[in-house]
Amino acid sequence: MSSQSLRRWSWIHKWSSLVCTVFMLLLCLTGLPLIYHHEIGHLLGNDVEAPALAPDIAANPPRANLDAVIASAQALYPNKIMMYMSQELDEPAIWNVTLGDHPNDEHYKPIAVDARTAQVITEPAFEGGAFMSTMLRLHVDMFAGLPGMLFLGAMGLLLIVAIVSGVVLYAPFMRKLEFGTVRHERSTRLKWLDLHNLLGIVTLVWALVVGATGVINTLADVLLKVWQATEIAAMIEPYKDARPLTQMASVDAAVQTAMAAEPGMQVGFIAFPGTPFASPHHYGIFMHGDQAFTSRLYKPVLIDAGNGTITDRRELPWYLTALLVSQPLHFGDYGGGWMQFLWAVLDIATIIVLGSGLYLWIKRGRRARADAKDAPKTAPAVQPVLARSGESR
């Protein structure tokens, strides 16, 4: 590689890194507890657990009628309407019911209801409570909504540029050194430079995966709006002039109809009429598989909320599939405890890479200013000798 090309790549690496470093540090620091959000929620006592049943009943637990589940939740807040209800794959004994004053209420009321007895269990807090809620908002949008999400997406793209340019620079830098060399006997700055390069190349693939999936996740709101304006709009087109609903069909019967139409799939969540994932005239029943991967992929089944018949069902478009696949991969949710541990270790290593890069830039700036300050005090005739002497060291 020519010296001019090397300088160009060095400039790209320096400035792409510097612009995004502070924000990437924020994302790594807030992302670390989010890797263990389930465990932190359990530690802080915010996990919701279904009550134990008698041994003879637990062996073959009953399933409560969904209309009864809804009635139990609404009995707590009679003036609120149903927005969503969902069920986690690893907790089939609980229905998570969401009530609000209107279909887009941001101040909704979550209620956990026993899926076997239709009895209310509790009104749960977000996993981890206020701390985890703050970490999530900082990680997702820095409390700035969609502009914050898009800004972090741009920082993620800069991170990818910094990683690629760092790889280009790594080969000529390591030309005279063995892989993994950290020159402890040299200056502190040189030792940190070696450590920065070593950890950077070790975490290369992980950083690219997490960076790329993070960029995709920042587009979630935009992609959902595109889907709603295209696919969902086409699915509910026949109802654009329909009269408002006067009565609602049984939710339990609607779910049974959806499950019969999609054998081998389970209900992930149900969107009620008027919410962004349904229409004013439909239940949106979102089915998914029962495996670690397929449980992340949804298939919407629209059911007429007036008569309980299926009006449309189709696969999600590719861009929403990419979004759904990227979300658990971003936080290491696919492989259990060992994958979470690996993600945490690599996250910490990346924090060191980012911090050391910032340190090296600051030290280099101080050194350059010191050299510039000392230069006028040196006699012109002596400067070349000093320069050659410095190079030999």
Side-chain angles (χ1 to χ4, degrees), residues 321-354:
T321 299
L323 173 65
L324 292 172
V325 170
S326 70
Q327 288 175 340
L329 187 59
H330 186 71
F331 291 108
D333 283 349
Y334 276 126
W338 281 109
M339 189 169 182
Q340 287 177 296
F341 176 74
L342 176 62
W343 249 234
V345 169
L346 292 170
D347 187 284
I348 293 170
T350 303
I351 290 173
I352 297 173
V353 172
L354 294 167

Side-chain angles (χ1 to χ4, degrees), residues 34-57:
L34 290 174
I35 294 172
Y36 289 101
H37 64 283
H38 288 300
E39 290 76 7
I40 292 174
H42 181 73
L43 182 66
L44 296 179
N46 293 316
D47 267 2
V48 178
E49 296 183 0
L53 297 177
D56 56 329
I57 300 177

